[in-house]
Amino acid sequence: MSAWVLPDHIADVLPSEARHIEELRRGVLDTARGYGYELVMPPLLEHLESLLTGTGEALGLQTFKLVDQLSGRTLGLRADSTPQVARIDAHLLNRQGVARLSYCGPVVHTRIDRPLASREPLQFGAEIYGHAGQEADLEVIELAQACLRSAGVSGLQLDMADVRVIDAVLAPVSLTPAQETRIHAALNAKDVAELEVLARDLPAAVRHDLCALPNLFGDVAVLDEAQRVLQPSPALHAALDGLRWLASHAKGQGMAVSIDLADLRGYAYYTGMRFALFALATEGGSGQALELARGGRYDEVGAVFGRNRPAVGFSLDLKELVAAVAPRPLVAAIRAPWGMDASLRQAIAALRAQGHTVVCALPGHEHHVDEFHCDRELVPDAAHHGAWTVQPLQTEISQ
């Protein structure tokens, strides 16, 4: 095998895309800072027991393991940054009030979870710790929307669910973990026939509600339908009322809203509302719906670190995001000759200090282009000896 061939689903990022990703990264970080989120930088690897504490089997299977040559202990390359941020909130910051934290960095996955995905996402996320009210839920949704719009995404759709709905439906019965797993899988697949088989020995009311859930998806009217057809309980009403409140305010932000009460993705992780933001892909005009951000409430995430306090947040992959938005126009640069003349070097330094990109053409490479596509050049000022001036680029540069 050639030495330059990369592992499957691992790729280099070349200049134009890398520039675009970096612009997006700066944009989402600035957006989060505008909402009062403080930036943290967790390490790429940790002791495995710390990295996976309380995260469940799924994340464990996604995590690369290696041996620390200094201590002999097993380390893990992070597959998700949220547990690390929970550890920072619990042990390093240890604040009594609200903590708003953001982060951005690579994570590494042992396998892909969908076709064409990267095993090295560049994950951005933002999280609120310390507030159990829906105000925090709404702020996180609004921030996710603002981050995507800062990247140039339009036509967003918010999809919501709440794990407390299925908890309320199954509350009257006691199931084994294996039974719960099979029921959750059937709900996610909207397989009513399988649900009927799995629920045949359950009470009639529970069986009725389980088989009703796969059809409870659509616009916000689904919440009224769920209130009508599902067995009433305080837990169910709290979940539906919460989704209704969030949906009403999200619509005010200009987002289309959909509800899917059988969507149990991340069930073992989330403790309440969960959401995803979708947009239509612009590349190729395919109209394919892309899930660009996902998040929700996960109040138990800090419990394993000895600090069980409310938490809600979201994350997105900047490598996915860059494929969903149109490339940004490049600000053209200034081409300058290479030389050691003091006045030339001072002129170049002054232009760069003003924020211009100045590309010096190295000797013998004056007729080659790079990504910056210079449209101006720095030339001697004929009217002032020893001075330099910027003029439109006259020379045609070949590839």
Side-chain angles (χ1 to χ4, degrees):
M1 181 179 292
S2 300
W4 54 267
V5 176
L6 294 174
D8 291 343
H9 305 288
I10 298 289
D12 294 306
V13 181
L14 300 183
S16 293
E17 185 177 4
R19 171 180 55 81
H20 195 184
I21 289 173
E22 174 60 15
E23 290 172 351
L24 296 182
R25 186 190 69 85
R26 295 180 187 184
V28 295
L29 285 174
D30 287 345
T31 300
R33 184 174 60 184
Y35 277 67
Y37 287 71
E38 300 173 273
L39 181 64
V40 294
M41 296 181 178
L44 184 60
L45 73 168
E46 291 193 38
H47 293 126
L48 189 64
E49 61 269 25
S50 172
L51 197 62
L52 297 184
T53 296
T55 59
E57 181 182 5
L59 195 59
L61 295 174
Q62 279 281 53
T63 301
F64 279 99
K65 288 91 174 176
L66 63 155
V67 175
D68 185 357
Q69 297 300 311
L70 294 180
S71 67
R73 296 175 63 181
T74 303
L75 305 179
L77 288 173
R78 67 182 179 209
D80 182 23
S81 294
T82 294
Q84 296 181 296
V85 179
R87 174 181 54 76
I88 289 172
D89 173 69
H91 284 299
L92 300 181
L93 296 178
N94 198 28
R95 294 173 180 169
Q96 296 305 309
V98 169
R100 290 180 171 91
L101 303 176
S102 66
Y103 59 87
C104 188
V107 296
V108 186
H109 296 162
T110 58
R111 62 191 72 185
I112 59 172
D113 57 2
R114 58 195 173 281
L116 305 179
S118 169
R119 289 198 292 164
E120 190 190 12
L122 182 57
Q123 187 183 59
F124 164 81
E127 302 174 6
I128 300 178
Y129 293 89
H131 186 73
Q134 287 192 291
E135 299 86 355
D137 297 357
L138 181 61
E139 180 177 303
V140 162
I141 292 173
E142 290 179 345
L143 175 57
Q145 175 199 32
C147 287
L148 292 177
R149 288 189 170 167
S150 78
V153 180
S154 59
L156 289 172
Q157 175 164 326
L158 172 68
D159 183 70
M160 291 193 295
D162 197 310
V163 301
R164 295 174 296 175
V165 172
I166 184 61
D167 288 344
V169 168
L170 294 178
V173 297
S174 179
L175 301 175
T176 66
Q179 287 176 308
E180 286 190 355
T181 298
R182 294 178 65 187
I183 287 174
H184 294 163
L187 284 170
N188 265 330
K190 300 190 184 301
D191 189 341
V192 177
E194 176 68 8
L195 282 172
E196 289 176 346
V197 172
L198 295 173
R200 60 191 171 193
D201 295 326
L202 299 181
V206 175
R207 185 168 61 250
H208 168 270
D209 286 0
L210 279 177
C211 294
L213 282 176
N215 295 314
L216 291 174
F217 66 93
D219 60 23
V220 292
V222 164
L223 298 174
D224 294 330
E225 178 69 5
Q227 199 95 44
R228 186 181 67 81
V229 302
L230 299 180
Q231 301 300 312
S233 71
L236 177 67
H237 292 164
L240 297 179
D241 288 346
L243 290 174
R244 188 177 289 109
W245 185 85
L246 289 171
S248 66
H249 288 282
K251 279 188 170 182
Q253 299 295 321
M255 285 184 285
V257 178
S258 61
I259 306 291
D260 187 349
L261 296 184
D263 187 351
L264 293 178
R265 287 177 296 167
Y267 174 83
Y269 184 68
Y270 293 110
T271 59
M273 174 276 303
R274 58 152 299 279
F275 72 92
L277 282 171
F278 290 83
L280 295 182
T282 58
E283 190 173 342
S286 64
Q288 179 186 5
L290 294 177
E291 182 181 327
L292 297 179
R294 59 207 64 86
R297 181 162 286 279
Y298 32 82
D299 288 343
E300 304 297 326
V301 70
V304 293
F305 299 110
R307 199 150 186 249
N308 189 9
R309 72 192 200 125
V312 60
F314 78 95
S315 65
L316 57 85
D317 177 10
L318 289 169
K319 290 183 179 178
E320 285 185 336
L321 181 57
V322 76
V325 296
R328 295 184 179 184
L330 182 69
V331 176
I334 299 170
R335 180 168 169 256
W338 172 262
M340 297 304 296
D341 178 80
S343 62
L344 170 62
R345 299 180 75 82
Q346 289 173 2
I348 292 172
L351 288 169
R352 287 172 175 162
Q354 295 167 17
H356 297 287
T357 297
V358 181
V359 180
C360 290
L362 295 174
H365 300 274
E366 292 84 359
H367 299 290
H368 295 277
V369 300
D370 53 31
E371 194 210 357
F372 294 98
H373 299 297
C374 304
D375 66 347
R376 292 155 294 162
E377 61 181 337
L378 189 62
V379 298
D381 188 341
H384 301 87
H385 178 71
W388 296 80
T389 186
V390 176
Q391 294 184 353
L393 186 63
Q394 301 297 325
T395 304
E396 182 68 25
I397 301 177
S398 61
Q399 185 73 41

